[in-house]
Amino acid sequence: MTIQKKVTTDELSNVLKLLGEKTRLTIMQSVYVQELCVCELVELLDMSQPAISQHLRKLRDAKLVQEKRKGNWIYYKVNHDHPIYHVVEMIINELPSMENELKELEKQNLLCE
């Protein structure tokens, strides 16, 4: 039997604040489906690279996303090991999937791979 450590009110509040911002929530929705690099998020969200990078920095600092370097690109994905991943997952599952938008990027050959 695994006993899950309870998080503090501050920890949960900070995560909810981060996810309360539409762009960060959309980024989390997207990287929940698959690993993405900044250039893909720029196309997907129609925002500047610096703006996307700022949002990713906040998500990374909160350990909500993980990054992995592949050649010249840094890819981001949801951190499944975050202490309150289950809360993040519940929130994301209440939203429409980003799969169609990501398939459209792939069809337009806008994925970085």
Side-chain angles (χ1 to χ4, degrees), residues 40-48 52:
E40 294 163 334
L41 290 165
V42 164
E43 291 294 333
L44 187 65
L45 300 172
D46 193 28
M47 293 178 69
S48 71
I52 296 292

Side-chain angles (χ1 to χ4, degrees), residues 4 7 11-12 15 64 81-89:
Q4 188 170 348
V7 296
E11 290 169 323
L12 182 57
V15 168
L64 291 173
D81 296 325
H82 193 279
I84 55 173
Y85 169 74
H86 61 286
V87 174
V88 173
E89 185 176 43

